[in-house]
Amino acid sequence: MNSFAPPADALAAATHADPYPYYAALARQEAPFHDERLGLWVAAHPDTVRAVLAQADCRVRPPHEPVPPALAGPAGSVFGALARMNDGARHELPKAVLLEALAALPAEAVAAHVRRTADALLVQDVALTTFAFELPVRTVASLLGCTDPAVAGHVRSFVAGLAARADAAAIAAAHDAVPHLLALADDIESDAPLLCAVQEAARRHGWTDAAALRANVLGLLSQTYEATAGLIGNGIVARLRGDARPAAALVDHVLRTDPPVQNTRRFTAADVDIAGVRIAAGQTILLVLAAAGAPFGHGRHACPGQALARAIALHALAALQEHGPLPDVAWRYRASPNGRLPEFIEGEGK
């Protein structure tokens, strides 16, 4: 691919070498437009993206298909219970619990668990890609009381099976991963800081659906896996390009200029008017978050874990910097329609 040519479309942009001039042009278009090639409406202007995210008839799943038919089975059962995959009451109560629990999580506990996980990975001299992808999920698992390193592999399989382009083998692996993750969840320590915070918040809000609670605890792991890994990875890319600012400032810079979550979708449950354009029911709108400056979303579906993701990334990058100079490596971006997820090519310089 010629990295100097603009991306072919808004989905291809997430893995382009430099999609940001293209995004800037998209963001100047206030009205959403229909991309015939993608078969999607596209919105990238900051005000327009926020309007869609605030519109009650723009749902996180098509109303007639709360769970993709291909996911029917264990993975689909977890998927269907996740707060981020629901609207209305099935979203509001879990979201309130997660927001309260994550807000109650002590900053010093997060720092200690990140550093412990980073030390365990760095002492093994793992590859940069492994460090970026395993550290977040193993840190959150540790905060939940699970220290089994196998959790990262099971979460990786689960997340891969949820992807829109997942093949039958990936979906089967996701189904297989669920009982392993549930078994790990059953063995976690009851005094773990994040687990205690979730359980206390659930009691306070009267959330008694044990299966949905457990699914959303697993959702904390799966939602951490790619997004926080991408934030760490893009921080590493910035370091490799010579950015020497402190870790906290670096993370904030990456969130503004090279965010890990590039876009998301909304599905119209009724006809809606967005920035003067009528979009019929049953349509899909691609929201280009990277162009709109909204990597964690906005409104009722804004990511409840944004502070945790930022904390994990900054402590991870600080630990990596203290470990010594980064190797001279090249990178490419993992195939993804939504995320900007660097993979580092060991033994091949920039």
Side-chain angles (χ1 to χ4, degrees):
M1 179 186 71
N2 179 0
S3 61
F4 296 101
D9 51 54
L11 289 182
T15 56
H16 190 272
D18 181 14
Y20 296 105
Y22 171 79
Y23 284 152
L26 281 186
R28 288 193 288 270
Q29 302 184 51
E30 185 173 355
F33 65 91
H34 194 265
D35 187 312
E36 299 296 336
R37 171 177 171 162
L38 296 178
L40 302 170
W41 288 88
V42 178
H45 188 281
D47 293 341
T48 306
V49 167
R50 284 168 173 75
V52 174
L53 291 172
Q55 169 56 254
D57 287 321
C58 293
R59 308 285 180 81
V60 294
R61 289 292 307 158
H64 66 282
E65 190 181 275
V67 177
L71 286 182
S77 296
V78 174
F79 180 97
L82 295 176
R84 72 187 184 96
M85 292 303 174
N86 284 283
D87 290 289
R90 284 175 60 87
H91 165 74
E92 291 163 7
L93 180 57
K95 177 70 173 288
V97 168
L98 295 176
L99 277 170
E100 184 174 308
L102 291 167
L105 192 60
E108 60 272 16
V110 175
H113 283 258
V114 175
R115 288 305 184 115
R116 190 179 307 131
T117 306
D119 289 346
L121 289 167
L122 291 171
V123 77
Q124 298 174 46
D125 198 27
V126 298
L128 284 175
T129 302
T130 302
F131 180 86
F133 276 91
E134 290 207 3
L135 184 140
V137 69
R138 286 177 59 175
T139 295
V140 173
S142 176
L143 287 163
L144 288 165
C146 173
T147 57
D148 187 341
V151 68
H154 297 314
V155 172
R156 178 175 64 246
S157 296
F158 177 69
V159 169
L162 302 188
R165 300 172 183 173
D167 58 21
I171 293 171
H175 289 317
D176 289 344
V178 170
H180 292 289
L181 290 168
L182 294 177
L184 290 172
D186 288 337
D187 292 337
I188 58 183
E189 302 168 11
S190 60
D191 61 347
L194 182 51
L195 180 64
C196 288
V198 171
Q199 291 174 334
E200 176 58 29
R203 282 193 293 269
R204 194 186 314 278
H205 287 270
W207 189 20
T208 58
D209 187 336
L213 178 59
R214 190 162 64 161
N216 278 278
V217 168
L218 297 184
L220 290 172
L221 297 172
S222 62
Q223 289 162 232
T224 298
Y225 181 72
E226 288 190 335
T228 311
L231 182 52
I232 294 170
N234 290 335
I236 294 172
V237 168
R239 287 276 191 249
L240 290 168
R241 287 173 168 160
D243 194 321
R245 70 189 78 199
L250 178 66
V251 170
D252 291 339
H253 176 73
V254 169
L255 285 170
R256 289 193 306 272
T257 64
D258 199 19
V261 180
Q262 300 268 298
N263 58 61
T264 190
R265 289 165 181 73
R266 289 295 184 267
F267 305 89
T268 54
D271 293 356
V272 294
D273 289 300
I274 303 293
V277 174
R278 187 77 164 174
I279 300 178
Q283 298 291 297
T284 304
I285 308 174
L286 181 73
L287 304 178
V288 188
L289 302 177
F296 289 109
H298 176 74
R300 63 189 178 278
H301 273 284
C303 176
Q306 54 185 290
L308 178 59
R310 180 183 179 280
I312 291 173
L314 76 87
H315 290 299
L317 290 168
L320 196 60
Q321 187 172 24
E322 292 164 11
H323 184 67
L326 291 171
D328 182 28
V329 296
W331 61 88
R332 58 177 172 250
Y333 294 98
R334 179 173 292 191
S336 171
N338 303 319
R340 190 159 178 80
L341 312 170
E343 295 181 323
F344 299 96
I345 308 167
E346 307 291 331
E348 184 176 323
K350 304 191 286 290

